[in-house]
Amino acid sequence: MAGFPQTVRRTSWSQSAGFIAAFVGALACIGWWWDIAILKSIIPGSSPLKPNIAVGMLLCGGVLGFLSVTRSARPARICACLCGIIVFFLGGLTLGEHFLGWNLGIDQWAIGRQADGSSQLLRMVPATAVCFVLTGVIFVAQSQLVWPRVSLPLAAGLSMSLAFIGGIALTGFFVESLLGSRWNVLGMNISGLTAAVGFLLLGSGSLALLQSEHRLVWSLDTLTTTGFALGIFLMVVAASVGFNYTRRMLETTSWLAHRQEVLQKTQEVLTDVTDLLSQERLYVILGEELLLKGREAIRLEVDKDLHDVRELTADNPRQQERLARLGPLIKDRLDWEEKIIAARREQGFAVAAQMIATGPGLKLSEDALRVIQEMDEEERALLVRDRNQAEAASLTAFSLLPLGVFLSMAILSLGLAFLNAGVTEQTQAEKALRASEQRYRELFESNPNPMWVYDEETLSFLAVNAAAVRHYGFNRDEFLARTIKDIRPAEDLAALLQNVSESHEQLDETTEWRHRKKNGELIDVEITSHELTWLGRKARLVLINDITERKRAEQELQQLNADLEERVQRRTAELETANKELEAFSYSVSHDLRSPLRTVDGFSQAVLEDYGSQLPEEGRRYLQTIRDGAQRMGVLIDDLLTFSRLSRLPLHQQRIDLTRMARDTFAELASEKKGRRIDFKVGELPTVHGDPALLKQVWVNLLSNAIKYTRKRELAVIEVGSKQENGSAICFISDNGTGFDMRYVDKLFGVFQRLHRTDEFEGTGVGLAIVQRVIHRHGGRVWAHGIEDKGATFYFTLKGDKNV
Amino acid sequence: MSENNVVEILIVEDTPEDLELALRALRKANLANQIQIARDGAEAVDFIFGEGAHLGRQLENGPKVILLDLKLPKIDGMEVLRRIKSDPRTKSIPVVVLTSSKEQKDVVESYQLGVNSYIVKPVNFEGFAKAVQDLGMYWVLLNQPPQP
């Protein structure tokens, strides 16, 4: 945004400059048309703006303004080109008139009615003509219709030159008006102050136009620019000063020749007069008529010489005054001489000699000689003065020219050095840039994933990397001759075009597509793309990831999962069915199987109660055996149902203090302990998460087993406790009972498996199976160690049985 | 069945052996009078609500307590219990579920339906007889039904 006001200012300057120049030109034209003196020169004191200059200024200013206002629209540029051609020829033809002697009459064409004056007076000076030639080229370049490569530097450079010339001429005029023409060492003359101002306006306006349209971007640093500007300025100054002094020197030299001529003519007059006088004397002495031959011619010669001298010294009033005296003196002297000659011829030698000796002749001769001598002296003095001046001018010119050239050389060299330094820096930066570009190109080129860049408008490939060539099978040229549509299956084209036409965000996005390789194989790809500008085109960089294998694996996995899911569902259903059947079975067992047992037991009891007294002892014992069997079978059924229920019921987990549970359970087993001496030791047991009802069952079974199998001991010792192993607690319960044979340890936890005879130790063989089932359901492990007739130890762990 | 039609105890039991043992136990406890027997769920419902064979029976004449087996032909015990407890005329009659089932779901469901007691039949006769005697004594002799 910072540049915006500046642009406005520059545009407005080019507009103002153009229109002021056009206005000045227009005023001058009006002035010439109606012969109004003040309008011809515009600036008071300036020499009038010559008609052709006025017309050129009007044209150029107008076109510059038009360009600025329309921001170089095409019509304005065509106008600029035409105007450029016109003023180019205006200047060029004028130069031709100046230097090649053409007489084309173009100095009057603009104001034919006023063409009564001398054409020389209306003709612009060569410098002005050069300015118009420059202006012409500038406008043709500004039109941008021709010379596309050089138009910008041409327009910029020549505009600068034009502004320089205008500026220097303007400076010259100021110096001259302030200090006198002697001090206008620049000697620049471009047809007056107004023209100088006009060209300054046109040059600077044209520059401002270039800058306002950002066509002229100044990249050089200030120091270099200043150096070059100073160098150019000094060169122009040196050239101007040299030109001026050379001109002066040449002028003075021509004066020297002029003075020589005056001297020569004067001497000729003297010689001729002396010749005439000598003739006269000889004739007086000899009286020979032959001696007078050619006198008239010499007299005419004298008159002509005198006339020449008068013309030659027209600029010198003192010499003119002397000539005015000399003329009559010579005439009188020559007239007297004629009289003497006449006297000699008619009256003889004596009269003539007398006239010579006494007459005014001598006096006249002396006076004339004196005047001639004065003139001679004067011319000689002037000659000396002019020669000195010429020498001084040439000295100045010869010293200033090389000085200026050396100074400009020095400054231009400095400028060159700075420019070089800048360019070196730039070259190194470019090298670094190229190296960096190389690295990034490699990132693209040797990327293991296929990558390409495509044009967002034409969809054609702009670049592809080696991996793309390898992966797709197209060679590079085949790729670049295709569009991204060509590698899609036909049915995806609509989606592709839709995707491309949607305005993409600049952000990266990843999408899945299908691509077709050269061999026709379809692959699944994952595409990440990013918008970028590629060689000035709106393009998109694409990174391709072939996910065909992954997709296949994913699909297989999905299929497997689906199969597994189906299998699980089928198994679950089967299990549920089995579970329901089992439930129905055990329900039926629990009701129907026990019912006849109750009948057997109940009616055996009824017989014993009601008719026991009538039965023999043997009969009562049989009935009691029937009852025992029925009751044992009831217990078996109950245990079996309990065991099967354990597998089916959900766990109700909560915090359980195992120490307390073991102690309480032992206390509750009163009937089993009846009449026994038992040393029950309780060590530290962990607090765990578990189902209290089930774990209670574990303790009941293990403790009642321990009590049961220590029955034969005088003092039973039962100990419960725990030990830490690998970070988890192992609970144990040991006794000093009958123990068991480790060979049969495998059978210990099986359902209905017993290691002791029923008449020795009663039991159903379900207790330890229940213990194992409960422990397993809690994620734990149970095992036992026994020594026959010494005792047994049961160990179990529970999942997550860390001390809470 | 007694002459004055007042029924103290209704026993719903389909197994004749269990029924006989139950009656024997009640008789031994001197509770054999005024006992009504239903051999299946439908018969029990007819009697309780005065329908079918018992059409016109006065509901005020009891029973004072119902011993209900769960596994019954026709209408099962759980359904009988539901009907008793959902009818305002009968829902105050104490019902004791007397069954050999130890199934948790039976216990839970029975209590949800509003059973007053739940007794698992002991296999041995002594236990069974004692349970029936205790129950009968308790409900018939000690527990007064709430006044309407």
Side-chain angles (χ1 to χ4, degrees):
Chain A
M1 292 305 286
F4 188 65
Q6 211 175 4
T7 307
V8 168
R9 188 171 61 76
R10 282 183 181 141
T11 317
S12 64
W13 171 242
S14 61
Q15 276 174 29
S16 321
F19 288 133
I20 291 170
F23 182 63
V24 168
L27 282 184
C29 282
I30 292 169
W32 282 99
W33 196 260
W34 282 287
D35 200 14
I36 306 167
I38 181 69
L39 288 185
K40 288 181 189 173
S41 53
I42 317 291
I43 301 171
S46 167
S47 50
L49 204 60
K50 301 215 163 90
N52 280 358
I53 304 179
V55 171
M57 207 61 80
L58 173 59
L59 262 179
C60 297
V63 168
L64 180 62
F66 190 21
L67 277 174
S68 309
V69 169
T70 62
R71 292 189 167 272
S72 295
R74 193 169 169 80
R77 289 194 282 125
I78 293 170
C79 284
C81 190
L82 289 176
C83 162
I85 293 168
I86 291 171
V87 297
F88 178 82
F89 279 106
L90 182 66
L93 294 178
T94 308
L95 284 177
E97 282 189 331
H98 267 295
F99 297 114
L100 301 174
W102 302 342
N103 195 1
L104 303 165
I106 58 159
D107 304 314
Q108 289 86 29
W109 67 272
I111 44 155
R113 223 174 69 171
Q114 296 288 327
D116 48 346
S118 155
S119 74
Q120 290 289 332
L121 285 179
L122 292 176
R123 183 178 290 170
M124 62 176 100
V125 297
T128 314
V130 168
C131 285
F132 271 117
V133 169
L134 288 184
T135 314
V137 178
I138 289 170
F139 276 102
V140 173
Q142 283 276 23
S143 78
Q144 302 172 61
L145 297 175
V146 287
W147 317 320
R149 280 176 58 82
V150 294
S151 68
L152 175 65
L154 211 55
L158 295 185
S159 300
M160 262 186 274
S161 306
L162 193 63
F164 260 123
I165 294 171
I168 287 168
L170 203 59
T171 318
F173 282 118
F174 278 120
V175 170
E176 195 170 328
S177 65
L178 288 174
L179 303 172
S181 66
R182 203 174 123 68
W183 288 98
N184 184 6
V185 289
L186 298 171
M188 186 72 79
N189 179 9
I190 44 171
S191 306
L193 184 56
T194 317
V197 171
F199 286 120
L200 180 59
L201 285 174
L202 288 179
S204 59
S206 168
L207 267 183
L209 180 68
L210 285 176
Q211 279 210 303
S212 73
E213 290 171 3
H214 300 293
R215 282 193 281 149
L216 179 63
V217 179
W218 205 252
S219 313
L220 288 179
D221 62 282
T222 323
L223 198 61
T224 315
T225 313
T226 316
F228 264 97
L230 199 61
I232 293 168
F233 178 75
L234 279 177
M235 272 172 77
V236 174
V237 168
S240 303
V241 170
F243 169 74
N244 194 25
Y245 273 92
T246 310
R247 200 186 63 199
R248 278 193 199 178
M249 192 186 78
L250 288 173
E251 274 172 13
T252 327
T253 313
S254 75
W255 271 111
L256 286 179
H258 181 72
R259 305 239 183 266
Q260 296 275 8
E261 207 180 344
V262 172
L263 281 174
Q264 193 193 332
K265 292 280 178 193
T266 321
Q267 286 299 322
E268 272 173 26
V269 171
L270 191 60
T271 315
D272 286 347
V273 172
T274 314
D275 281 356
L276 287 173
L277 289 181
S278 304
Q279 272 183 334
E280 174 227 36
R281 299 277 164 84
L282 217 56
Y283 178 75
V284 168
I285 296 165
L286 301 175
E288 179 58 56
E289 280 295 324
L290 207 64
L291 289 172
L292 295 177
K293 195 177 165 196
R295 274 185 72 87
E296 280 309 304
I298 296 173
R299 270 209 74 159
L300 285 173
E301 187 76 15
V302 169
D303 284 345
K304 185 181 171 290
D305 284 345
L306 275 175
H307 179 260
D308 284 353
V309 171
R310 191 174 292 120
E311 279 211 336
L312 283 168
T313 59
D315 63 317
N316 192 333
R318 285 194 309 277
Q319 296 290 62
Q320 291 287 317
E321 182 263 331
R322 284 188 190 110
L323 274 172
R325 279 191 289 136
L326 184 63
L329 280 175
I330 289 176
K331 190 177 181 300
D332 288 354
R333 180 63 188 85
L334 292 180
D335 286 351
W336 178 245
E337 194 188 66
E338 292 299 322
K339 282 178 186 159
I340 290 173
I341 290 169
R344 170 69 177 87
R345 189 181 296 137
E346 289 156 20
Q347 297 168 351
F349 172 77
V351 178
Q354 185 64 31
M355 280 173 77
I356 291 171
T358 61
L362 286 174
K363 171 89 169 61
L364 283 169
S365 293
E366 272 171 27
D367 287 350
L369 197 63
R370 197 164 50 249
V371 173
I372 285 173
Q373 272 176 349
E374 277 175 19
M375 284 180 70
D376 198 75
E377 275 166 22
E378 166 96 21
E379 279 307 312
R380 278 178 201 284
L382 283 173
L383 185 68
V384 169
R385 191 201 70 183
D386 284 353
R387 187 182 291 138
N388 287 344
Q389 271 186 4
E391 273 171 13
S394 66
L395 191 68
T396 314
F398 286 131
S399 51
L400 274 181
L401 267 178
L403 187 68
V405 170
F406 288 145
L407 260 177
S408 330
M409 263 168 58
I411 286 167
L412 283 178
S413 304
L414 270 177
L416 190 65
F418 277 113
L419 191 64
N420 181 52
V423 170
T424 309
E425 202 175 301
Q426 201 181 341
T427 311
Q428 277 166 354
E430 270 171 15
K431 265 186 196 164
L433 189 66
R434 263 202 297 279
S436 151
E437 199 185 281
Q438 178 68 24
R439 281 197 298 277
Y440 280 103
R441 182 187 299 281
E442 269 173 33
L443 277 186
F444 175 78
E445 189 52 42
S446 42
N447 195 301
N449 280 324
M451 287 174 88
W452 57 62
V453 179
Y454 71 86
D455 191 310
E456 281 210 311
E457 278 170 34
T458 66
L459 302 185
S460 55
F461 288 99
L462 297 175
V464 291
N465 73 352
V469 168
R470 244 185 350 259
H471 206 81
Y472 282 78
F474 298 110
N475 67 32
R476 232 168 258 267
D477 291 337
E478 285 170 334
F479 253 122
L480 297 185
R482 278 170 168 73
T483 70
I484 56 168
K485 287 190 287 184
D486 298 331
I487 56 160
R488 311 285 174 145
E491 59 270 28
D492 287 359
L493 276 185
L496 170 72
L497 295 179
Q498 166 78 16
N499 186 45
V500 167
S501 67
E502 279 166 11
S503 61
H504 293 294
E505 292 293 313
Q506 281 265 314
L507 294 172
D508 293 351
E509 46 189 67
T510 303
T511 46
E512 282 189 15
W513 290 95
R514 289 186 304 162
H515 280 174
R516 192 182 287 286
K517 288 188 185 182
K518 191 183 182 184
N519 61 13
E521 185 191 338
L522 271 180
I523 54 172
D524 290 298
V525 290
E526 200 175 70
I527 283 183
T528 313
S529 71
H530 188 73
E531 200 163 76
L532 51 74
T533 304
W534 183 271
L535 302 174
R537 307 278 302 165
K538 243 181 93 180
R540 199 159 258 280
L541 172 69
V542 182
L543 177 71
I544 295 97
N545 189 10
D546 188 341
I547 55 167
T548 313
E549 279 305 312
R550 197 177 83 194
K551 280 223 117 140
R552 191 173 300 150
E554 268 173 16
Q555 272 173 2
E556 276 172 17
L557 196 65
Q558 271 175 2
Q559 186 59 46
L560 280 175
N561 276 340
D563 288 353
L564 196 66
E565 184 68 23
E566 195 191 323
R567 207 175 304 166
V568 166
Q569 275 175 0
R570 209 167 53 231
R571 291 281 158 79
T572 309
E574 283 169 11
L575 272 175
E576 273 170 4
T577 311
N579 226 356
K580 276 201 183 112
E581 282 168 0
L582 187 66
E583 213 168 309
F585 171 73
S586 55
Y587 191 80
S588 144
V589 164
S590 129
H591 282 89
D592 302 342
L593 225 53
R594 275 152 36 112
S595 195
L597 281 178
R598 231 174 11 251
T599 309
V600 171
D601 186 44
F603 284 95
S604 302
Q605 175 70 10
V607 169
L608 278 174
E609 276 179 15
D610 295 356
Y611 311 106
S613 54
Q614 298 169 33
L615 283 174
E617 176 64 28
E618 192 72 2
R620 284 205 299 274
R621 195 177 61 79
Y622 288 165
L623 275 176
Q624 188 57 48
T625 308
I626 290 169
R627 283 198 67 198
D628 288 348
Q631 281 175 14
R632 202 165 67 244
M633 190 164 172
V635 172
L636 271 172
I637 289 170
D638 279 351
D639 282 355
L640 203 56
L641 285 174
T642 306
F643 179 71
S644 88
R645 196 163 50 238
L646 281 178
S647 316
R648 289 183 281 121
L649 291 179
L651 290 179
H652 299 286
Q653 302 238 10
Q654 62 187 66
R655 264 184 70 168
I656 297 163
D657 178 358
L658 284 183
T659 317
R660 191 167 160 187
M661 186 178 257
R663 211 190 296 276
D664 291 352
T665 309
F666 185 77
E668 286 160 16
L669 295 170
S671 59
E672 282 88 343
K673 294 184 294 187
K674 202 182 275 175
R676 296 280 307 279
R677 281 185 62 214
I678 300 170
D679 181 7
F680 184 57
K681 299 174 182 167
V682 183
E684 199 184 330
L685 287 165
T687 300
V688 298
H689 276 280
D691 188 315
L694 297 183
L695 289 177
K696 176 87 173 180
Q697 189 69 46
V698 168
W699 283 117
V700 169
N701 291 4
L702 288 175
L703 285 171
S704 49
N705 267 358
I707 294 168
K708 185 163 73 183
Y709 290 106
T710 53
R711 190 187 293 160
K712 293 175 178 171
R713 303 282 180 237
E714 188 86 355
L715 175 65
V717 179
I718 299 172
E719 187 180 359
V720 297
S722 69
K723 54 182 180 179
Q724 289 290 325
E725 208 172 277
N726 296 331
S728 60
I730 299 171
C731 304
F732 64 86
I733 170 168
S734 65
D735 62 60
N736 60 344
T738 50
F740 58 89
D741 188 341
M742 280 302 277
R743 279 181 297 174
Y744 307 121
V745 73
D746 296 343
K747 294 186 172 181
L748 205 56
F749 295 100
V751 187
F752 300 130
Q753 297 286 347
R754 304 210 65 222
L755 298 184
H756 301 278
R757 291 199 314 277
T758 308
D759 59 352
E760 202 177 1
F761 292 104
E762 75 287 349
T764 57
V766 180
L768 284 177
I770 288 174
V771 167
Q772 190 184 44
R773 180 60 58 93
V774 171
I775 296 299
H776 282 179
R777 287 206 69 191
H778 281 81
R781 209 157 59 80
V782 62
W783 68 100
H785 188 79
I787 302 168
E788 225 167 354
D789 217 27
K790 291 281 183 203
T793 308
F794 288 84
Y795 302 92
F796 68 88
T797 64
L798 294 169
K799 192 183 180 185
D801 54 354
K802 305 229 163 56
N803 287 303
V804 181
Chain B
M1 255 185 252
S2 69
E3 293 85 41
N4 62 1
N5 287 333
V6 172
V7 175
E8 297 274 353
I9 299 171
L10 170 66
I11 300 179
V12 189
E13 175 62 84
D14 66 318
T15 317
E17 295 84 2
D18 279 356
L19 177 61
E20 195 181 338
L21 287 173
L23 289 173
R24 181 173 177 273
L26 288 172
R27 194 169 59 238
K28 287 219 162 190
N30 294 320
L31 286 168
N33 296 334
Q34 297 158 344
I35 290 176
Q36 176 70 35
I37 295 160
R39 300 301 300 272
D40 59 45
E43 211 180 306
V45 168
D46 281 351
F47 178 80
I48 293 166
F49 294 102
E51 293 163 357
H54 299 279
L55 195 66
R57 192 184 75 85
Q58 295 296 305
L59 295 193
E60 301 86 63
N61 293 336
K64 285 185 176 164
V65 65
I66 300 171
L67 297 182
L68 181 64
D69 190 12
L70 284 181
K71 210 160 177 289
L72 292 170
K74 296 183 184 171
I75 298 174
D76 82 5
M78 209 61 83
E79 178 59 30
V80 176
L81 177 62
R82 184 176 299 114
R83 291 196 192 178
I84 294 168
K85 288 301 174 186
S86 57
D87 193 311
R89 296 170 298 174
T90 55
K91 71 176 181 188
S92 60
I93 302 172
V95 178
V96 177
V97 165
L98 185 66
T99 176
S100 54
S101 171
K102 277 185 178 173
E103 286 297 318
Q104 195 80 10
K105 90 173 173 22
D106 284 348
V107 182
V108 171
E109 202 176 340
S110 303
Y111 276 111
Q112 275 172 351
L113 287 174
V115 78
N116 299 79
S117 188
Y118 189 99
I119 300 290
V120 178
K121 296 178 199 166
V123 168
N124 64 340
F125 177 75
E126 292 92 338
F128 172 61
K130 190 170 187 307
V132 173
Q133 281 174 15
D134 287 354
L135 273 172
M137 293 297 276
Y138 179 75
W139 289 112
V140 178
L141 302 177
L142 301 178
N143 200 26
Q144 294 299 312
Q147 297 300 316

